[in-house]
Amino acid sequence: MRKLSRSGTSASNTSSSHSGGVPSAASVPASLADPSLPLPRLIVFDLDYTLWPFWVDTHVTPPLKANAAHTAAADRYGEDYAFYHEVPYILQLLPRAGMSLNPEAGGGGGGGGGTATTTTVPIKLGVASRTSAPSLARDLLKMLHLPAVADAGQKARRAGDVFDAGMEIYPGSKIKHFEALQKRTGIRYEDMLFFDDESRNMETEKLGVTMRLVRDGVTWAEVEKGVEEWRKRRGYKKN
C-alpha cells in the first residue's frame, strides 16, 4: 500500500467501510486459540501504517470530529481517518485469545522447551509510536471506537481504552518505549510481540522482543504470522 498524500487520505479501505456486522469470538483464528500452544503476554503495536494507513503528524490536520458511529474521524479539511479494516476487531478480540492459554508465568526463559498453561489472564496490549504528534494520536484513539462482541457481553469502547499496558507515544528510539512498557508491566521482553512497519525498529529485538514487520497494516493473518515467529523464537513446538 502506498503512503497516502493529502489527496489520498480517505478511510475507504479501513474500518469505516466495513458492513459485515457484529464480530464474535469465532473471528479469532484457530491458531491463536490452539490449547497446545502459548501466546505472548504482551502485544505492542505501532500506529502509523500499522494500525491506520496514514502518518498522523503529516496527513491529519486538527481539529478532529468523529462520525456518529465513531468508526472514523474527519479533520479540518473533511478528510476521513480510520483504522485498517480488520484492526477494530483485532484490538477488541485479541486479548480474549489469552483467556484460554498464555505462557506459564515466568517460564520459558527465552529458550527451547518452554511450557504452556491454561490461564484466565488476558493478553495485554500496548502502543509504541515515535510520532511527533502524540496529542493528536491520542485524540484519534479516543474518537475511534471498537465494536461490541455479542457473545462475550463486550460493549463497544474507545480504542485507546484497550491498551492496558500503556501507550508510549513520542519521538525517539523505540528501545526507550519498550523499556517504559517493561517497567510498567513487569513482563519480560521475551514475552512481548511487536508489530511495526519500519525495519529500523527491529532494533527492539536486541532487548529480546520479537518484532513482526508489516507492510500493509495489521490483519489477522499478520497477527498469526507474528505469533508463529514469537513461538519459534521461544522454542515452542506443537507436540
Side-chain angles (χ1 to χ4, degrees):
M1 180 177 181
R2 67 184 177 84
K3 302 301 184 184
L4 297 179
S5 65
R6 163 53 62 191
S7 62
T9 53
S10 171
S12 60
N13 291 321
T14 64
S15 62
S16 63
S17 65
H18 182 69
S19 59
V22 178
S24 69
S27 299
V28 177
S31 67
L32 303 182
D34 187 331
S36 68
L37 292 171
L39 295 168
R41 294 182 61 197
L42 170 59
I43 296 181
V44 182
F45 298 94
D46 174 42
L47 294 176
D48 297 343
Y49 290 99
T50 301
L51 292 187
W52 51 46
F54 49 85
W55 285 303
V56 72
D57 57 359
T58 59
H59 289 133
V60 185
T61 305
L64 291 169
K65 183 178 181 180
N67 63 13
H70 286 272
T71 56
D75 73 349
R76 180 188 299 273
Y77 296 101
E79 296 283 356
D80 288 332
Y81 297 90
F83 290 124
Y84 282 107
H85 171 64
E86 295 184 27
V87 166
Y89 310 112
I90 291 170
L91 296 181
Q92 185 75 301
L93 297 173
L94 188 55
R96 297 189 65 229
M99 296 300 287
S100 60
L101 190 76
N102 225 333
E104 183 175 5
T115 59
T117 183
T118 299
T119 179
T120 56
V121 178
I123 297 170
K124 286 186 174 295
L125 301 184
V127 169
S129 169
R130 63 166 79 238
T131 182
S132 60
S135 295
L136 191 57
R138 289 177 181 274
D139 286 344
L140 191 53
L141 289 170
K142 292 177 183 177
M143 292 183 184
L144 299 179
H145 289 189
L146 307 180
V149 179
D151 66 348
Q154 182 71 63
K155 297 180 179 180
R157 54 178 167 169
R158 297 184 302 181
D161 292 343
V162 79
F163 298 111
D164 53 351
M167 298 188 292
E168 299 299 317
I169 307 176
Y170 42 80
S173 169
K174 292 197 178 180
I175 293 291
K176 181 179 179 181
H177 295 65
F178 273 88
E179 288 175 342
L181 288 168
Q182 196 284 323
K183 183 177 181 179
R184 180 181 302 112
T185 64
I187 295 174
R188 300 180 317 141
Y189 294 120
E190 291 81 5
D191 290 328
M192 299 181 188
L193 173 61
F194 180 36
F195 292 90
D196 196 293
D197 70 308
E198 293 189 272
S199 58
R200 62 175 172 170
N201 294 319
M202 293 293 293
E203 66 175 354
T204 56
E205 292 205 330
K206 297 177 182 178
L207 297 172
V209 174
T210 297
M211 179 179 146
R212 171 68 184 175
L213 185 65
V214 298
R215 295 301 187 187
D216 295 297
V218 171
T219 62
W220 278 121
E222 288 290 351
V223 173
E224 286 188 281
K225 291 175 183 176
V227 170
E228 182 180 0
E229 290 178 10
W230 176 84
R231 287 169 175 166
K232 288 181 178 179
R233 191 175 182 188
R234 295 295 309 278
Y236 290 109
K237 296 181 179 180
K238 184 173 182 178
N239 295 327

